[in-house]
Amino acid sequence: MSSQGLEFPATSSLRFGLRALSLPALLDAGRRYAGNLIQTAGLRPGDRVAVLAAPAPAVAIAFLGHLDSGLVHVPLNTRYQPAEIAHILADSGARTVLVDSAHLPALEEAEGLLRNGQPGRRVLLDSLPSRSDDLAFAALSSSDLEPLPPTDPGAPALMLFTSGTTGPAKGAVFSQARLAAGIGSLMRLWRMSEKDHLVLALPLFHVHGLCVGLLGAFLSGATVTLLPAFRAPEIPAAIASGGTVFMGVPTMYAFLLEHLSNDAGAARDLSGARLFTAGSAALSPDQFRQFESLTGHRILERYGMTETLITLSNPLEGERRPGSVGLPVPGFETRIVDESGRDVSPGTTGELWVKGAGLMSGYHQNEEATRQSFTGGWFRTGDLATRDAGGYHRILGRTSADLIKSGGFRIAAREIEEALESHPAIREVAVLGLPDPVWGERICAAVVLKGSNRFPAEVLAELGLHCHGKIADFKRPRALAVFDQLPRNALGKVQKHRIREAITSGLIPAVSG
């Protein structure tokens, strides 16, 4: 079966609670929904449709319908605040938004922030229309429809927004052909097939959950059990009910390990699976070894980015090295280069560059950012890495100190700094990530206060409240360190490495909350 340029085995199915939908049923509902949406809302192939909703069958149906009709799928992080949502709606030019009832208030507030008013029509996934031009997803996906015309596999199909690490979030554009090349190659490497059953507890707004998880399973003919959220006790039960594959981020594995240490039966349940993978942040060697000790499984780590899909992976068969993200996925190449763009020798640290058919075609309506990100067809990841003589890669961090990886999210420090600078008690602020065994990195604000009679714990609590409505909850500081002055170089630039050294050495204490 196909959704225009993508080929899907008919064996796939989606389970969600008590519901079970075959892939043919999902595709049929998706075609009905997309065709009726195009007709009702006056859309054309290439128009962007944003989705702001928790994982549910309707999200999968909409994704397939967009792919089939030539509409561009634009997923939104469900933890974003209205200002962040408004930026993506404006930048993408989305004329229609699919939204569930839980996130409708945030969308309505975001609409009020847009200069030209609301972006267009709203499609309500699980509530009754409240405006005259609202559309009901159930009605669109169940009505009769004329056949849709073929779409161009090379045309834009998916727009994934970055975390805004070097400025405002940018929309990375992928065609069906690029998705098929990148995700298809990874699924073949991991030998995903119709015999597999993926337990998916990841959100459906980024590469990991939407592309590697949902799309990858459908391309492989696998069954998917879609969970509305991650809860550690539910994973062993889902594996025991037939699951063979679990994909998670290190934070999920930290909570799983805590659960397994108190439930030997859960560890036995997990041992029956075929494959556990980890990505989106670095998995600690201790977590790797603990999980192997409890379940007998060596977690397969891999590496990717919003702009590149998944480019590196430990082997399915062969050595999986703790702390390593492995070898290039077939169809991708890598280089590790110095500041002059020259390849470094094995074991030497440099910037990771990648090339392959699965890379994005570019940033939406941002030719300058696209040009700056590519050199001779190589995408400059901005990640520091090493490669040993055997070809195994290790990611060491960012070339910029302003990217924080926490709980599987890539977070721009500058965005948090901007939210904190308006607090009346703050004279100066610098945000950085500190090592954390559960979250990967813990967000810490280093501040110079306007008054000296404030308790750091009190200020940290105030900053958390101050961030509400400005940035997503997962971006607010979890630690605070008070400095008399922030260290700067001769040009006045804050030296975050010196801040980090002062905190980790204990010279400047940090309070957590």
Side-chain angles (χ1 to χ4, degrees):
M1 305 184 68
S2 68
S3 179
Q4 306 291 5
L6 294 166
E7 293 295 329
F8 298 123
T11 52
S12 284
S13 63
L14 181 72
R15 300 179 184 179
F16 186 81
L18 299 177
R19 298 181 64 186
L21 297 167
S22 68
L23 183 65
L26 292 169
L27 285 170
D28 181 64
R31 287 167 179 154
R32 291 171 183 270
Y33 146 76
N36 286 309
L37 178 64
I38 287 171
Q39 184 177 31
T40 304
L43 302 182
R44 297 176 298 175
D47 283 340
R48 277 73 64 197
V49 180
V51 180
L52 181 63
V59 177
I61 289 170
F63 181 43
L64 292 172
H66 296 159
L67 292 173
D68 196 62
S69 63
L71 297 173
V72 180
H73 188 85
V74 185
L76 296 172
N77 189 325
T78 52
R79 296 177 67 179
Y80 274 174
Q81 294 294 311
E84 298 163 305
I85 295 169
H87 165 72
I88 293 176
L89 293 178
D91 192 78
S92 68
R95 297 179 56 194
T96 304
V97 184
L98 275 72
V99 61
D100 61 19
S101 56
H103 299 96
L104 185 57
L107 174 62
E108 291 178 336
E109 189 171 340
E111 289 173 343
L113 298 175
L114 293 170
R115 291 181 180 178
N116 298 322
Q118 66 190 60
R121 305 294 289 272
R122 305 188 309 190
V123 179
L124 306 180
L125 296 179
D126 59 354
S127 58
L128 295 175
S130 58
R131 295 197 308 224
S132 60
D133 60 348
D134 282 345
L135 300 171
F137 179 83
L140 294 175
S141 59
S142 60
S143 301
D144 291 334
L145 171 72
E146 294 295 323
L148 293 170
T151 58
D152 177 6
L158 175 65
M159 189 181 299
L160 296 169
F161 272 79
T162 67
S163 301
T165 57
T166 56
K170 302 182 289 292
V173 178
F174 291 88
S175 65
Q176 291 192 30
R178 291 175 185 266
L179 291 172
I183 300 302
S185 180
L186 183 69
M187 293 300 103
R188 290 188 291 273
L189 180 67
W190 290 351
R191 297 189 182 176
M192 288 284 291
S193 72
E194 67 279 358
K195 297 179 181 179
D196 279 310
H197 183 158
L198 172 65
V199 176
L200 186 58
L202 293 161
L204 300 181
F205 53 68
H206 55 30
V207 167
H208 200 169
L210 183 66
C211 298
V212 182
L214 191 68
L215 181 61
F218 287 164
L219 289 172
S220 306
T223 295
V224 179
T225 286
L226 182 64
L227 300 176
F230 170 79
R231 300 179 184 87
E234 295 180 3
I235 306 305
I239 296 293
S241 298
T244 65
V245 179
F246 175 76
M247 300 175 184
V249 300
T251 303
M252 289 181 174
Y253 283 106
F255 286 117
L256 268 177
L257 286 169
E258 181 180 351
H259 176 65
L260 299 183
S261 66
N262 299 314
D263 189 341
R268 287 193 297 271
D269 288 339
L270 291 183
S271 67
R274 179 179 75 84
L275 177 64
F276 291 87
T277 73
S280 299
L283 183 77
S284 75
D286 283 346
Q287 289 175 323
F288 183 96
R289 286 187 283 267
Q290 290 175 34
F291 195 81
E292 182 181 14
S293 174
L294 290 169
T295 68
H297 283 282
R298 296 173 67 82
I299 298 170
L300 189 155
E301 293 183 75
R302 86 301 177 282
Y303 165 86
M305 296 181 68
T306 300
E307 296 94 333
T308 68
L309 304 179
I310 308 303
T311 57
L312 292 163
S313 172
N314 273 271
L316 181 66
E317 298 177 354
E319 184 181 5
R320 300 180 194 170
R321 301 182 183 178
S324 168
V325 291
L327 310 162
V329 172
F332 288 93
E333 304 173 64
T334 65
R335 294 174 62 194
I336 297 178
V337 305
D338 61 20
E339 293 181 354
S340 301
R342 294 174 297 199
D343 293 280
V344 302
S345 58
T348 303
T349 299
E351 182 183 3
L352 176 66
W353 290 9
V354 300
K355 179 188 285 188
L359 269 61
M360 68 169 185
S361 57
Y363 294 115
H364 176 63
Q365 294 185 348
N366 198 331
E367 294 182 4
E368 179 62 19
T370 302
R371 184 188 64 78
Q372 292 179 357
S373 298
F374 286 89
T375 297
W378 293 90
F379 180 79
R380 306 167 63 169
T381 68
D383 279 325
L384 293 172
T386 60
R387 180 174 52 209
D388 64 21
Y392 279 73
H393 294 65
R394 186 179 298 272
I395 305 299
L396 303 178
R398 290 292 291 177
T399 55
S400 168
D402 295 318
L403 176 70
I404 301 169
K405 292 185 176 181
S406 181
F409 293 103
R410 302 161 72 92
I411 303 165
R414 183 58 194 152
E415 183 181 20
I416 305 171
E417 290 164 355
E418 290 176 347
L420 299 179
E421 285 170 347
S422 59
H423 189 281
I426 301 300
R427 185 181 304 280
E428 294 181 88
V429 60
V431 171
L432 64 156
L434 298 177
D436 187 279
V438 173
W439 301 102
E441 286 188 302
R442 177 165 38 103
I443 299 172
C444 177
V447 302
V448 177
L449 298 176
K450 292 180 180 179
S452 60
N453 59 343
R454 301 296 306 277
F455 291 103
E458 177 187 6
V459 175
L460 179 59
E462 287 183 10
L463 293 181
L465 293 174
H466 183 73
C467 289
H468 183 71
K470 295 181 174 63
I471 54 176
D473 181 70
F474 65 82
K475 297 178 182 179
R476 70 175 177 83
R478 262 45 180 199
L480 181 84
V482 178
F483 285 70
D484 292 330
Q485 60 182 14
L486 298 181
R488 298 176 182 272
N489 64 15
L491 298 176
K493 182 176 177 59
V494 174
Q495 297 175 303
K496 290 190 176 181
H497 65 285
R498 291 180 56 193
I499 295 175
R500 183 177 288 105
E501 289 169 0
I503 296 172
T504 56
S505 68
L507 181 64
I508 302 293
V511 299
S512 298

